[in-house]
Amino acid sequence: MALDLHQRITTKEVQHRTDGEDVILAGWAAEIRNLGKIAFITLRDREGVVQLTALKDFAQFALLNELAKESVIAIHGKVQTSKQKAGGKEVILHDIELIAKSDPNLPIDISGTIPTGLDKRLDNRFLDLRNPRNLAIFKVRSIVNWSLRNFLAKEGFIEMQTPKIISAGAEGGATLFPVTYYDKTVYLAQSQQLYKQMMMIAGFEKIFEIGPSFRAEKSHTMRHLTEFTHFDFELSFVKDEDDVLKVIERMFVQVCKDVNEACAEQLKLLGTTVEVPNIPFPRITHAQAIDLLNAEGGKLRHGDDIGTEDEKKLGDIVKKKYDTEVYFLTKFPYALRTFYTMTHGDISRGFDFEYRGEELASGAQREHRHDVLCKQIVEKGLKAKDFTFYTDPFKFGAPPHGGFGMGVDRLTKKLLNLENIRDAVLFPRDPERVVP
Ligand code: 4AD
Ligand code: MG
C-alpha cells in the first residue's frame, strides 16, 4: 500500500516530535550505509536531513540493497532520540517505498565533499542545486526579492513590466544583442531605463520593476552575465539625485534586516554575516575617490574610469576611513555616463552604489528637458531618429525625475560573499553557456 504523502512531515519537524511517534517522510536518499544487519539512510528534503535507521527486524532489506543514492523515497517509521547526535532525533524505519530511482552513476558529488569544477557543476546544475548550500542561496535571493518589493510597495511604488524586445539600446551599443524579428533587426533590452522614464512622463511618479535584462558582455568576469535580473525604480519630482540615494539607503537597510531575520539559518550554513549599515551612507564624489586611491599609491587622473581592482581597493580604503561597507560614488564625470543623465558642465548627476568593494547599482537624476536630452543623444554619437519614440514624449511635460538600477544577482552574490555571480543564478548565461 502506498504511503499517504498528505501525512508527510519534514525532516525539520521530526526534531520536534516525541519518541515513539509514527511519522511519514519523503525526500532523497542522500547517503546510504548498509551494514547487512543494520542500515542508515540520510534522508534529505528542503528543510534539512534526518537519519533513518533500519534495524535487523526491518522487512525490506532487499529494497535497501538495491537502493541507489539520490533516489526519491517515502518512509514510515517511529521517532527516536538519536544515540549518536546529542539531543537529535532519528527515525526507525518500518516501511520504505521507492518513488523514483536514481541512476547510480552520479556525474557530480552533490555534497561537495569531492569538489567539482564550476563548469561541470553548471552542466549538471539540476543535481548541483540539490546541495543544501545552493538551496540556502536561493532562499536568501527569494527573501531579497520579496524585501525589495515589499519596501517599495509600502512606499507607494507601482510594480510594472516593460518590453524586452526593443528598437534602440539605452546603455551603449557595445553590449546590444541583435535579434531577428520577422524582416527586421531589433534588440534585447539592456535595461528598463527608457520605459521607466516614459512612465514618469505618463504621471505614474513612483514605479519599479524586477525583470530580466540582456547584455552582450564580451569577456568572462565573476560579476557579469549575459542575462541578469534587473531591479529598477524611478521617482518623480526629485530635487536632485540625493532624493534617490535616500530611498536606496532605507531600502538597503530593510533588505539587510529582512535577510537577517528570515535567513539566520541560511547565513549560518553559508558561513557569512550581513551587517545592517547605519544611515546615511557616505557620499564620495568621483574626484574624491580618485584622490583617496592616489593617496594610497594610485596613479589615476581626475576623470579616469575606476577599474575593478581600484574599485576593490577603494572599498578597503572606505572601510578603514568611514567604517562601512556601503557607500555612494557621486558626481561622475559626464564622459563616463549615458545620454539620459542630467549634467552640469562636465559633471553628471550620475552615481554608483557600492557594497563590499563592488558596484551594486548605478543611477542618476535624468535629463528631463527635451532640447537638452536630444542634444546629449547626438553628443554621445547616437542617431536622434532612433530615439524619437523616447524623446517625443518629453515634448509633452516631463517632471524632474531620477532612479536607479541594480542587479539582483550581484546583490545576492555580495550579500553572501560569494566569489562568482554564477553561484547566485539558477541557470547562468554567459558568452559560452546557454545550456541547461
Ligand atoms: O550600471 P548599469 O548598466 O545601469 C543601468 O542599467 C541604468 N539603467 C541604471 C539607472 O537607473 N541609471 O546596470 C545597473 C546594475 C549594475 O550595477 C549591476 O548590478 C547590474 O545592473 N548589471 C549586471 N549584472 C550582471 N551582469 C551584467 N552584465 C550586468 N550589467 C549590469
Ligand atoms: Mg553601472
Side-chain angles (χ1 to χ4, degrees), residues 198-210:
M198 288 192 276
M199 298 313 290
M200 294 303 100
I201 301 170
F204 282 40
E205 289 197 27
K206 291 174 165 189
I207 53 155
F208 76 99
E209 176 170 351
I210 305 182

Side-chain angles (χ1 to χ4, degrees), residues 185-317:
T185 298
V186 296
Y187 306 98
L188 294 179
Q190 296 162 304
S191 72
Q192 302 93 327
Q193 185 63 35
L194 307 186
Y195 291 90
K196 282 195 306 183
Q197 292 189 253
M198 288 192 276
M199 298 313 290
M200 294 303 100
I201 301 170
F204 282 40
E205 289 197 27
K206 291 174 165 189
I207 53 155
F208 76 99
E209 176 170 351
I210 305 182
S213 285
F214 306 88
R215 305 229 178 146
E217 300 290 350
K218 303 291 183 286
S219 56
H220 285 264
T221 76
M222 305 289 235
R223 57 176 181 169
H224 291 93
L225 293 169
T226 50
E227 177 179 340
F228 64 98
T229 302
H230 216 156
F231 168 74
D232 260 61
F233 75 71
E234 202 73 20
L235 179 65
S236 278
F237 300 108
V238 296
K239 188 166 141 275
D240 54 36
E241 68 276 30
D242 211 71
D243 286 342
V244 179
L245 303 189
K246 287 189 186 109
V247 178
I248 298 172
E249 282 171 335
R250 286 185 287 117
M251 184 173 71
F252 188 74
V253 162
Q254 192 58 50
V255 168
C256 293
K257 282 184 181 163
D258 286 339
V259 165
N260 273 314
E261 198 181 308
C263 305
E265 222 175 275
Q266 285 71 32
L267 293 176
K268 194 166 159 221
L269 177 65
L270 295 166
T272 193
T273 53
V274 171
E275 216 176 286
V276 181
N278 292 323
I279 288 175
F281 304 166
R283 276 93 166 132
I284 297 164
T285 67
H286 193 270
Q288 283 169 337
I290 300 249
D291 292 341
L292 285 172
L293 284 163
N294 285 347
E296 301 268 324
K299 295 205 164 38
L300 294 153
R301 284 167 312 179
H302 283 153
D304 280 356
D305 202 2
I306 297 171
T308 310
E309 281 312 308
D310 281 333
E311 198 183 4
K312 247 189 240 155
K313 224 185 272 172
L314 187 61
D316 295 336
I317 297 171

Side-chain angles (χ1 to χ4, degrees), residues 166-185:
I166 52 156
S167 65
E171 315 294 343
T175 61
L176 272 175
F177 269 122
V179 179
T180 303
Y181 192 69
Y182 306 102
D183 56 351
K184 284 199 289 279
T185 298

